[in-house]
Amino acid sequence: MVTFVKRIVLCLGLLVCVAVFSEAGQSTAGDPKQGKALYMNKCYGCHSVDANRVGPMHRGVFGRKAGSVPGYAYSPALKASTVVWDQTSLDKWLTDPQKLIPGQKMNFTVDDQAERADIIAYLKSVS
Amino acid sequence: MPTLADNEITRRQLLKTSGLLSLAGLAALSGAGTLVAGQALAADPAADVNILNVALGLEHEGIAAYQLGAESKLLQPKILKVAVKFQDDHKVHRDLLIDAIKKLGGAPVAAKTQAEYATSLKAASLKSQKDVLTLAARLELGAVNAYLGVIPSFADRALAKVSGRLAADETLHWTTLASVLGMPLPKAMFFGA
């Protein structure tokens, strides 16, 4: 009887963990479709996916070292940076680029966490 | 509603009469550390120059985009007139930014070639007036958000103020283009990030 109760408690605990971590994963995953709309609204002024403009192109940004797109005139800070773009570093970058890489020249932030997640999801989708 | 034809301001007229181009205005725009009793107020010219140069890059691109649109022969005459007016606004912005950057001791970023802008903006894909205006609207919206976005980053508050004014001009451009395109009015707090 005690063993049966222990098994029930263990199963319930596992179910709770799955629910919690699933929800946590979804809250940071972002929606790439919404992210594209946000990208066109907030990022397109300087960036394109496939062309260097005022800002560097974003195709393949996930996994890429900061300051490494050929043909773009990066700031010395970005060229010297060892940051590699991923979910975490992009979230920090869009939160406060100057804090992540002092001396950068983007100076543009996305203050809403959900919007950042969506934009990052879109950037991942074009990588 | 007054049309642009009723209230046309040529660039030459603006250069003659705009308070923005008075010496005091230029000083305010440059934000080069207002001298008070021989001491410069706190400012970070180098960082501000970087921001201004990003803005200048946007203006160069905007001028080129409207040039592409005008040369496409896709714009109806009345629309072309508005596009030329908006291009003129960007030239005013460009010249003010160049002057401010130089006053801060920086080197203004140069414009790319028209061919480079044509490639990066995919000019070859523009097949209709709607295509041209949609591109222009996207760029103007980007400029609005860029100018709003960098306001907190300026060390010189005078430059932050000017960034707000530049954003206002770009908002006018976007709103006009959006209206011509039949886009719905945006919800509140649409601009900025």
Side-chain angles (χ1 to χ4, degrees):
Chain A
M1 181 63 182
V2 172
T3 304
F4 176 73
V5 170
K6 280 183 180 177
R7 285 178 180 172
I8 293 294
V9 169
L10 179 61
C11 287
L12 287 172
L14 284 171
L15 281 172
V16 169
C17 286
V18 167
V20 167
F21 284 110
S22 294
E23 190 173 314
Q26 284 172 7
S27 69
T28 58
D31 176 357
K33 187 176 178 183
Q34 178 63 12
K36 182 177 181 180
L38 288 165
Y39 182 90
M40 294 307 295
N41 183 326
K42 298 181 189 297
C43 311
Y44 184 76
C46 296
H47 293 278
S48 290
V49 173
D50 291 310
N52 291 329
R53 290 173 42 223
V54 175
M57 60 188 287
H58 282 141
R59 177 76 64 189
V61 63
F62 255 71
R64 185 166 72 207
K65 179 188 169 300
S68 65
V69 173
Y72 180 75
Y74 285 100
S75 62
L78 260 290
K79 280 193 278 193
S81 173
T82 57
V83 168
V84 175
W85 297 122
D86 59 18
Q87 182 84 33
T88 302
S89 58
L90 282 168
D91 188 64
K92 289 180 179 178
W93 175 251
L94 292 175
T95 302
D96 188 343
Q98 182 63 11
K99 184 175 179 181
L100 181 66
I101 306 178
Q104 52 72 51
K105 63 178 181 178
M106 187 174 87
N107 293 292
F108 184 85
T109 64
V110 178
D111 296 338
D112 186 273
Q113 187 274 329
E115 290 187 348
R116 291 198 304 273
D118 290 341
I119 292 171
I120 293 168
Y122 173 64
L123 292 176
K124 190 173 185 180
S125 78
V126 298
S127 298
Chain B
M1 179 175 164
T3 66
L4 286 169
D6 299 326
N7 193 28
E8 191 174 72
I9 300 175
T10 67
R11 184 160 179 267
R12 186 169 298 165
Q13 288 171 324
L14 193 61
L15 283 169
K16 281 183 180 175
T17 63
S18 170
L20 274 177
L21 295 177
S22 67
L23 286 177
L26 280 172
L29 180 63
S30 73
T34 305
L35 294 175
V36 176
Q39 291 181 327
L41 296 177
D44 187 352
D48 284 352
V49 163
N50 284 340
I51 299 172
L52 292 174
N53 257 326
V54 171
L56 179 56
L58 285 172
E59 298 296 345
H60 285 317
E61 186 182 63
I63 292 165
Y66 280 109
Q67 192 63 33
L68 290 170
E71 292 176 356
S72 71
K73 309 293 184 193
L74 293 169
L75 301 180
Q76 295 168 5
K78 285 187 178 180
I79 303 297
L80 176 60
K81 197 174 180 182
V82 174
V84 170
K85 193 279 178 191
F86 287 176
Q87 187 191 50
D88 260 7
D89 290 348
H90 287 295
K91 289 179 179 177
V92 170
H93 296 173
R94 174 199 62 192
D95 294 344
L96 290 172
L97 287 167
I98 288 173
D99 192 78
I101 290 166
K102 286 180 177 177
K103 278 189 161 58
L104 287 171
V109 67
K112 299 177 184 178
T113 65
Q114 194 65 13
E116 287 174 311
Y117 287 120
T119 299
S120 63
L121 295 175
K122 299 181 181 178
S125 68
L126 302 176
K127 304 297 183 189
S128 65
Q129 174 169 282
K130 183 181 177 184
D131 288 347
V132 174
L133 298 184
T134 299
L135 171 63
R138 284 178 180 163
L139 294 175
E140 296 287 6
L141 179 58
V144 172
N145 288 330
Y147 279 124
L148 291 176
V150 298
I151 285 174
S153 299
F154 280 109
D156 191 316
R157 288 168 62 86
L159 291 174
K161 185 177 177 182
V162 171
S163 192
R165 295 184 67 179
L166 291 165
D169 276 358
E170 316 301 14
T171 305
L172 165 68
H173 296 168
W174 178 86
T175 305
T176 305
L177 293 166
S179 176
V180 173
L181 285 165
M183 292 168 62
L185 291 173
K187 58 184 179 182
M189 302 301 285
F190 173 72
F191 300 104

